[in-house]
Amino acid sequence: PFTSTNLISMAKRLFDISMSLLALGVFALPMILIALLIKFKEHHPILFKQERLGIHKQPFLIFKFQTLVNEEATPIGKVLRRTGLDELPQFINVLKGEMSIVGPRALTASDIKRLGWDNEFHSQRWKVLPGITGLAQLYGGRHRKLSWFWDTYYLHNQTLPIDLGIIFFSFLVNFFGKRSVRKLLPPLTSTHNT
């Protein structure tokens, strides 16, 4: 049956496709330059591919620019990680319907087990597509409880204005870095107790 939830889901999907095509157009030249630098200056594979769990814990292959060699960040990799530019290939995952632009971070099966999120209580996190960016990524949810707070905050408060705000600040990260942008982030108030 056609419901308001389905309508919201369709609108978000159209938004994701439109924004991904726009982003790939805007970042096409930087992506080509990054790929050339990785290939000819650092001489290692351009893309990092890893199995992650998406909506309903369905596995998919995530794409990023390769930033680590032998578990060490390369010089180019350090810049890409600091600015979030290593995430640009994930717009391909969005176009494939495996990710959304905004949502909880895509985790590996071992991440989920390590965090203790492999139980019924935490299953709500996998009712939405994982995102390239999200509140935990922006606000720095490095610890398990903080990450869970931001993920569930988003699940219960997601709206177009919040998505647009997250995208705007994530875009700034590409130019000014995560630390600088985090100082500009507004405090959020919840409409749901997590």
Side-chain angles (χ1 to χ4, degrees):
F2 192 75
T3 64
S4 60
T5 303
N6 290 340
L7 184 62
I8 292 167
S9 181
M10 287 172 55
K12 188 171 173 68
R13 180 69 186 136
L14 286 171
F15 177 78
D16 281 343
I17 291 170
S18 304
M19 290 297 292
S20 294
L21 291 172
L22 177 64
L24 287 171
V26 169
F27 287 103
L29 184 57
M31 288 176 75
I32 291 168
L33 290 173
I34 290 166
L36 290 172
L37 283 170
I38 290 172
K39 182 71 175 174
F40 296 108
K41 190 170 175 64
E42 295 189 337
H43 310 288
H44 58 76
I46 294 168
L47 290 179
F48 168 80
K49 302 171 188 176
Q50 186 182 52
E51 186 178 275
R52 302 283 178 98
L53 299 185
I55 191 168
H56 307 307
K57 293 190 178 177
Q58 290 298 307
F60 72 97
L61 209 58
I62 200 170
F63 303 116
K64 292 186 177 189
F65 283 119
Q66 179 75 276
T67 59
L68 301 177
V69 174
N70 298 324
E71 303 301 318
E72 293 270 335
T74 65
I76 293 170
K78 287 177 182 176
V79 175
L80 296 180
R81 290 163 76 90
R82 189 171 64 246
T83 58
L85 291 171
D86 59 319
E87 314 276 354
L88 288 176
Q90 288 173 41
F91 284 111
I92 297 165
N93 292 115
V94 175
L95 290 176
K96 290 173 70 179
E98 298 163 335
M99 295 181 71
S100 180
I101 292 176
V102 179
R105 190 191 306 275
L107 301 175
T108 64
S110 59
D111 286 334
I112 295 167
K113 188 172 182 179
R114 175 178 54 81
L115 292 166
W117 292 355
D118 52 350
N119 53 48
E120 187 61 32
F121 174 76
H122 292 93
S123 63
Q124 60 179 303
R125 189 184 187 277
W126 285 273
K127 290 181 180 177
V128 297
L129 288 167
I132 295 176
T133 188
L135 292 175
Q137 295 93 307
L138 269 182
Y139 281 84
R142 293 170 182 262
H143 303 291
R144 180 177 60 178
K145 288 185 178 179
L146 196 54
S147 290
W148 179 253
F149 169 79
W150 287 121
D151 286 347
T152 53
Y153 180 99
Y154 179 74
L155 289 173
H156 296 295
N157 296 279
Q158 57 180 311
T159 60
L160 181 59
I162 284 180
D163 278 10
L164 289 173
I166 291 169
I167 290 167
F168 172 72
F169 284 106
S170 299
F171 184 75
L172 293 183
V173 166
N174 297 148
F175 296 96
F176 303 109
K178 293 176 184 177
R179 287 185 181 179
S180 298
V181 173
R182 279 178 184 155
K183 295 173 185 174
L184 304 174
L185 290 171
L188 294 177
T189 56
S190 179
T191 60
H192 181 90
N193 293 324
T194 53

